[in-house]
C-alpha cells in the first residue's frame, strides 16, 4: 500500500529520487518529520533498522511536499520543485 505521510515505521527506509537512485536513509522520525542521512554508515543503518535512530547535524529534514510515495521498502521523492 502506497502513502505520502511519514510514520515511525519509515525509520530505516531508503530514500530514492524519482529515477530510483538511492540518495539516503531515514535515520529518525520525530512528530511526523523524517530525518535523512545522505551517507549513512553501517552503524547508522543498523541503529535505524532497530528503531534506535537519532538525527544529528549530518541529517536533513525531508519536507512532505517532496514525497511522491512511500512503500514498504522506500520513500520515493518527486521531480517537482
Amino acid at each position: 500500500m502506497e502513502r505520502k505521510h511519514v510514520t515511525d515505521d519509515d525509520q530505516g527506509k531508503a530514500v530514492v529520487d524519482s529515477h530510483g537512485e538511492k540518495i539516503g536513509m531515514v535515520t529518525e522520525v520525530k512528530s511526523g518529520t523524517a530525518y535523512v542521512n545522505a551517507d549513512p554508515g553501517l552503524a547508522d543503518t543498523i541503529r535505524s533498522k532497530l528503531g534506535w535512530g537519532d538525527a544529528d547535524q549530518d541529517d536533513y529534514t525531508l519536507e512532505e511536499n517532496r514525497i511522491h510515495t512511500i512503500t514498504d521498502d522506500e520513500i520515493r521523492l518527486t521531480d517537482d520543485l
Side-chain angles (χ1 to χ4, degrees):
M1 182 169 140
E2 295 182 354
R3 58 189 162 80
K4 292 187 179 190
H5 301 287
V6 178
T7 69
D8 291 343
D9 293 335
D10 297 320
Q11 188 167 304
K13 286 187 181 177
V15 178
V16 300
D17 66 16
S18 62
H19 304 288
E21 294 290 321
K22 184 176 178 181
I23 60 170
M25 180 192 71
V26 177
T27 55
E28 185 173 20
V29 176
K30 280 192 224 176
S31 303
T33 300
Y35 293 86
V36 178
N37 186 325
D39 188 26
L42 181 59
D44 290 329
T45 302
I46 292 170
R47 279 195 295 268
S48 290
K49 297 267 185 198
L50 293 173
W52 300 344
D54 191 18
D56 60 23
Q57 70 274 6
D58 295 331
D59 296 346
Y60 301 92
T61 14
L62 179 57
E63 296 175 17
E64 194 168 287
N65 65 341
R66 298 287 303 158
I67 298 171
H68 182 267
T69 53
I70 300 173
T71 67
D72 290 340
D73 302 314
E74 67 186 19
I75 296 177
R76 184 172 295 259
L77 303 181
T78 164
D79 284 356
D80 302 338
L81 300 176

